[in-house]
Amino acid sequence: MRKIVLVCENGASTGMVMKRMQKYADDNKISVKIEAHPYAELGELIADADYVLLGPQIGYKKDETLQKYPELAKKIDVIRPMDFGMLNGEKILKETIASIEKNA
């Protein structure tokens, strides 16, 4: 089972996206666990995650995050603002899984 972690400032706004992603995964029998957390907890979560998605509102922290965890650079990205705003869990999940498989 893959583990995808979504992070934003407090973990609240990504929670809605997480629910849409998980629903799509469950409906399509995709084995994945998706969690939403505040950015402050990232250090405790990143090693066990297959992929980390930053909410667009903290996308500016991507460079900082990559500097902190350079060995994990291939599994960190920012959710596109349009997909985030539209709560497009299906598209976000499909793109994330494609990235995981590409970098495996």
Side-chain angles (χ1 to χ4, degrees), residues 39-65:
Y39 184 83
E41 296 177 8
L42 183 59
E44 303 163 23
L45 306 164
I46 198 164
D48 293 331
D50 291 298
Y51 213 79
V52 174
L53 292 169
L54 304 176
Q57 68 277 29
I58 62 164
Y60 68 93
K61 291 186 177 187
K62 182 178 179 183
D63 289 340
E64 173 188 330
T65 305

mmCIF file of all heavy atoms in Angstrom, residues 39-65:
data_model
loop_
_atom_site.group_PDB
_atom_site.id
_atom_site.type_symbol
_atom_site.label_atom_id
_atom_site.label_comp_id
_atom_site.label_asym_id
_atom_site.label_seq_id
_atom_site.Cartn_x
_atom_site.Cartn_y
_atom_site.Cartn_z
ATOM 1 N N TYR A 39 2.211 21.383 8.039
ATOM 2 C CA TYR A 39 3.602 21.367 7.572
ATOM 3 C C TYR A 39 4.570 21.113 8.726
ATOM 4 O O TYR A 39 5.592 20.453 8.541
ATOM 5 C CB TYR A 39 3.928 22.689 6.874
ATOM 6 C CG TYR A 39 5.311 22.716 6.275
ATOM 7 C CD1 TYR A 39 5.548 22.164 5.020
ATOM 8 C CD2 TYR A 39 6.388 23.279 6.956
ATOM 9 C CE1 TYR A 39 6.817 22.169 4.466
ATOM 10 C CE2 TYR A 39 7.657 23.293 6.413
ATOM 11 C CZ TYR A 39 7.872 22.735 5.155
ATOM 12 O OH TYR A 39 9.137 22.743 4.619
ATOM 13 N N ALA A 40 4.248 21.611 9.899
ATOM 14 C CA ALA A 40 5.136 21.461 11.063
ATOM 15 C C ALA A 40 5.406 19.997 11.403
ATOM 16 O O ALA A 40 6.423 19.673 12.016
ATOM 17 C CB ALA A 40 4.541 22.178 12.266
ATOM 18 N N GLU A 41 4.528 19.087 11.004
ATOM 19 C CA GLU A 41 4.689 17.658 11.300
ATOM 20 C C GLU A 41 5.429 16.899 10.201
ATOM 21 O O GLU A 41 5.649 15.693 10.326
ATOM 22 C CB GLU A 41 3.316 17.014 11.515
ATOM 23 C CG GLU A 41 2.577 17.548 12.715
ATOM 24 C CD GLU A 41 1.188 16.950 12.870
ATOM 25 O OE1 GLU A 41 0.837 16.004 12.122
ATOM 26 O OE2 GLU A 41 0.438 17.437 13.723
ATOM 27 N N LEU A 42 5.812 17.567 9.148
ATOM 28 C CA LEU A 42 6.410 16.888 7.996
ATOM 29 C C LEU A 42 7.629 16.054 8.362
ATOM 30 O O LEU A 42 7.791 14.937 7.880
ATOM 31 C CB LEU A 42 6.773 17.900 6.903
ATOM 32 C CG LEU A 42 7.337 17.312 5.614
ATOM 33 C CD1 LEU A 42 6.352 16.336 4.983
ATOM 34 C CD2 LEU A 42 7.684 18.421 4.640
ATOM 35 N N GLY A 43 8.475 16.568 9.219
ATOM 36 C CA GLY A 43 9.686 15.836 9.602
ATOM 37 C C GLY A 43 9.413 14.469 10.184
ATOM 38 O O GLY A 43 10.199 13.530 9.997
ATOM 39 N N GLU A 44 8.283 14.322 10.877
ATOM 40 C CA GLU A 44 7.913 13.040 11.482
ATOM 41 C C GLU A 44 7.300 12.079 10.469
ATOM 42 O O GLU A 44 7.220 10.883 10.722
ATOM 43 C CB GLU A 44 6.893 13.283 12.599
ATOM 44 C CG GLU A 44 7.360 14.230 13.677
ATOM 45 C CD GLU A 44 6.201 14.750 14.519
ATOM 46 O OE1 GLU A 44 5.146 14.093 14.566
ATOM 47 O OE2 GLU A 44 6.363 15.819 15.118
ATOM 48 N N LEU A 45 6.862 12.596 9.327
ATOM 49 C CA LEU A 45 6.086 11.799 8.373
ATOM 50 C C LEU A 45 6.821 11.448 7.094
ATOM 51 O O LEU A 45 6.499 10.466 6.442
ATOM 52 C CB LEU A 45 4.820 12.583 7.985
ATOM 53 C CG LEU A 45 3.929 13.056 9.120
ATOM 54 C CD1 LEU A 45 2.966 14.124 8.635
ATOM 55 C CD2 LEU A 45 3.177 11.879 9.698
ATOM 56 N N ILE A 46 7.776 12.258 6.725
ATOM 57 C CA ILE A 46 8.326 12.182 5.372
ATOM 58 C C ILE A 46 9.035 10.866 5.069
ATOM 59 O O ILE A 46 8.941 10.353 3.958
ATOM 60 C CB ILE A 46 9.235 13.396 5.072
ATOM 61 C CG1 ILE A 46 9.425 13.525 3.565
ATOM 62 C CG2 ILE A 46 10.528 13.328 5.837
ATOM 63 C CD1 ILE A 46 9.956 14.853 3.119
ATOM 64 N N ALA A 47 9.708 10.284 6.033
ATOM 65 C CA ALA A 47 10.455 9.052 5.767
ATOM 66 C C ALA A 47 9.538 7.890 5.398
ATOM 67 O O ALA A 47 9.912 7.039 4.592
ATOM 68 C CB ALA A 47 11.312 8.691 6.975
ATOM 69 N N ASP A 48 8.334 7.851 5.958
ATOM 70 C CA ASP A 48 7.405 6.750 5.699
ATOM 71 C C ASP A 48 6.487 6.996 4.510
ATOM 72 O O ASP A 48 5.725 6.118 4.126
ATOM 73 C CB ASP A 48 6.540 6.490 6.937
ATOM 74 C CG ASP A 48 7.358 5.955 8.099
ATOM 75 O OD1 ASP A 48 8.378 5.281 7.867
ATOM 76 O OD2 ASP A 48 6.973 6.222 9.252
ATOM 77 N N ALA A 49 6.548 8.191 3.946
ATOM 78 C CA ALA A 49 5.656 8.537 2.844
ATOM 79 C C ALA A 49 6.249 8.117 1.505
ATOM 80 O O ALA A 49 7.459 8.230 1.290
ATOM 81 C CB ALA A 49 5.391 10.036 2.834
ATOM 82 N N ASP A 50 5.387 7.644 0.613
ATOM 83 C CA ASP A 50 5.822 7.366 -0.752
ATOM 84 C C ASP A 50 5.846 8.652 -1.568
ATOM 85 O O ASP A 50 6.588 8.758 -2.540
ATOM 86 C CB ASP A 50 4.879 6.362 -1.427
ATOM 87 C CG ASP A 50 5.008 4.980 -0.811
ATOM 88 O OD1 ASP A 50 6.104 4.408 -0.898
ATOM 89 O OD2 ASP A 50 4.023 4.504 -0.231
ATOM 90 N N TYR A 51 5.018 9.622 -1.150
ATOM 91 C CA TYR A 51 4.974 10.903 -1.856
ATOM 92 C C TYR A 51 4.401 11.952 -0.922
ATOM 93 O O TYR A 51 3.523 11.661 -0.110
ATOM 94 C CB TYR A 51 4.094 10.794 -3.112
ATOM 95 C CG TYR A 51 4.578 11.666 -4.239
ATOM 96 C CD1 TYR A 51 5.651 11.284 -5.044
ATOM 97 C CD2 TYR A 51 3.958 12.877 -4.510
ATOM 98 C CE1 TYR A 51 6.095 12.083 -6.079
ATOM 99 C CE2 TYR A 51 4.391 13.684 -5.548
ATOM 100 C CZ TYR A 51 5.467 13.277 -6.327
ATOM 101 O OH TYR A 51 5.896 14.079 -7.354
ATOM 102 N N VAL A 52 4.924 13.167 -1.036
ATOM 103 C CA VAL A 52 4.469 14.297 -0.228
ATOM 104 C C VAL A 52 4.001 15.401 -1.160
ATOM 105 O O VAL A 52 4.720 15.795 -2.079
ATOM 106 C CB VAL A 52 5.601 14.828 0.683
ATOM 107 C CG1 VAL A 52 5.159 16.090 1.409
ATOM 108 C CG2 VAL A 52 6.047 13.761 1.670
ATOM 109 N N LEU A 53 2.793 15.869 -0.920
ATOM 110 C CA LEU A 53 2.238 16.966 -1.703
ATOM 111 C C LEU A 53 2.024 18.171 -0.798
ATOM 112 O O LEU A 53 1.343 18.071 0.224
ATOM 113 C CB LEU A 53 0.903 16.562 -2.323
ATOM 114 C CG LEU A 53 0.966 15.504 -3.407
ATOM 115 C CD1 LEU A 53 -0.434 15.001 -3.748
ATOM 116 C CD2 LEU A 53 1.636 16.058 -4.646
ATOM 117 N N LEU A 54 2.620 19.282 -1.181
ATOM 118 C CA LEU A 54 2.412 20.525 -0.460
ATOM 119 C C LEU A 54 1.186 21.216 -1.039
ATOM 120 O O LEU A 54 1.009 21.254 -2.261
ATOM 121 C CB LEU A 54 3.618 21.451 -0.614
ATOM 122 C CG LEU A 54 4.988 20.908 -0.197
ATOM 123 C CD1 LEU A 54 6.064 21.935 -0.512
ATOM 124 C CD2 LEU A 54 5.014 20.540 1.264
ATOM 125 N N GLY A 55 0.353 21.762 -0.180
ATOM 126 C CA GLY A 55 -0.769 22.554 -0.652
ATOM 127 C C GLY A 55 -0.244 23.789 -1.362
ATOM 128 O O GLY A 55 0.842 24.287 -1.041
ATOM 129 N N PRO A 56 -0.975 24.306 -2.343
ATOM 130 C CA PRO A 56 -0.472 25.451 -3.108
ATOM 131 C C PRO A 56 -0.208 26.694 -2.252
ATOM 132 O O PRO A 56 0.676 27.478 -2.578
ATOM 133 C CB PRO A 56 -1.565 25.718 -4.141
ATOM 134 C CG PRO A 56 -2.729 24.913 -3.744
ATOM 135 C CD PRO A 56 -2.274 23.853 -2.805
ATOM 136 N N GLN A 57 -0.928 26.835 -1.152
ATOM 137 C CA GLN A 57 -0.722 27.996 -0.305
ATOM 138 C C GLN A 57 0.629 27.975 0.407
ATOM 139 O O GLN A 57 1.087 29.005 0.892
ATOM 140 C CB GLN A 57 -1.874 28.149 0.697
ATOM 141 C CG GLN A 57 -1.950 27.078 1.766
ATOM 142 C CD GLN A 57 -2.657 25.802 1.347
ATOM 143 O OE1 GLN A 57 -2.668 25.426 0.177
ATOM 144 N NE2 GLN A 57 -3.250 25.108 2.294
ATOM 145 N N ILE A 58 1.284 26.812 0.466
ATOM 146 C CA ILE A 58 2.634 26.751 1.025
ATOM 147 C C ILE A 58 3.634 26.250 -0.025
ATOM 148 O O ILE A 58 4.716 25.787 0.309
ATOM 149 C CB ILE A 58 2.714 25.899 2.311
ATOM 150 C CG1 ILE A 58 2.333 24.442 2.050
ATOM 151 C CG2 ILE A 58 1.898 26.518 3.429
ATOM 152 C CD1 ILE A 58 2.745 23.503 3.151
ATOM 153 N N GLY A 59 3.259 26.354 -1.278
ATOM 154 C CA GLY A 59 4.151 25.944 -2.361
ATOM 155 C C GLY A 59 5.491 26.653 -2.310
ATOM 156 O O GLY A 59 6.512 26.112 -2.739
ATOM 157 N N TYR A 60 5.507 27.855 -1.745
ATOM 158 C CA TYR A 60 6.752 28.609 -1.619
ATOM 159 C C TYR A 60 7.764 27.893 -0.720
ATOM 160 O O TYR A 60 8.957 28.203 -0.750
ATOM 161 C CB TYR A 60 6.474 30.026 -1.087
ATOM 162 C CG TYR A 60 5.989 30.056 0.343
ATOM 163 C CD1 TYR A 60 6.893 30.204 1.391
ATOM 164 C CD2 TYR A 60 4.645 29.933 0.651
ATOM 165 C CE1 TYR A 60 6.457 30.219 2.704
ATOM 166 C CE2 TYR A 60 4.200 29.965 1.954
ATOM 167 C CZ TYR A 60 5.112 30.104 2.991
ATOM 168 O OH TYR A 60 4.679 30.124 4.290
ATOM 169 N N LYS A 61 7.311 26.910 0.054
ATOM 170 C CA LYS A 61 8.212 26.165 0.943
ATOM 171 C C LYS A 61 8.853 24.951 0.256
ATOM 172 O O LYS A 61 9.613 24.222 0.872
ATOM 173 C CB LYS A 61 7.468 25.695 2.194
ATOM 174 C CG LYS A 61 7.084 26.827 3.121
ATOM 175 C CD LYS A 61 6.494 26.292 4.414
ATOM 176 C CE LYS A 61 6.188 27.446 5.352
ATOM 177 N NZ LYS A 61 5.759 26.969 6.674
ATOM 178 N N LYS A 62 8.558 24.749 -1.008
ATOM 179 C CA LYS A 62 9.107 23.575 -1.693
ATOM 180 C C LYS A 62 10.625 23.606 -1.710
ATOM 181 O O LYS A 62 11.271 22.604 -1.384
ATOM 182 C CB LYS A 62 8.573 23.458 -3.123
ATOM 183 C CG LYS A 62 9.091 22.202 -3.831
ATOM 184 C CD LYS A 62 8.543 22.046 -5.221
ATOM 185 C CE LYS A 62 9.126 20.785 -5.864
ATOM 186 N NZ LYS A 62 8.676 20.616 -7.230
ATOM 187 N N ASP A 63 11.226 24.741 -2.067
ATOM 188 C CA ASP A 63 12.685 24.811 -2.111
ATOM 189 C C ASP A 63 13.295 24.546 -0.739
ATOM 190 O O ASP A 63 14.277 23.815 -0.618
ATOM 191 C CB ASP A 63 13.147 26.171 -2.646
ATOM 192 C CG ASP A 63 12.881 26.332 -4.129
ATOM 193 O OD1 ASP A 63 12.705 25.304 -4.827
ATOM 194 O OD2 ASP A 63 12.841 27.479 -4.597
ATOM 195 N N GLU A 64 12.704 25.121 0.278
ATOM 196 C CA GLU A 64 13.168 24.902 1.653
ATOM 197 C C GLU A 64 13.077 23.420 2.017
ATOM 198 O O GLU A 64 13.985 22.847 2.617
ATOM 199 C CB GLU A 64 12.313 25.736 2.604
ATOM 200 C CG GLU A 64 12.551 25.492 4.069
ATOM 201 C CD GLU A 64 11.534 26.224 4.940
ATOM 202 O OE1 GLU A 64 11.038 27.292 4.543
ATOM 203 O OE2 GLU A 64 11.235 25.705 6.032
ATOM 204 N N THR A 65 11.978 22.793 1.633
ATOM 205 C CA THR A 65 11.760 21.384 1.931
ATOM 206 C C THR A 65 12.774 20.517 1.180
ATOM 207 O O THR A 65 13.324 19.564 1.743
ATOM 208 C CB THR A 65 10.319 20.978 1.552
ATOM 209 O OG1 THR A 65 9.405 21.858 2.218
ATOM 210 C CG2 THR A 65 10.012 19.555 1.959
#
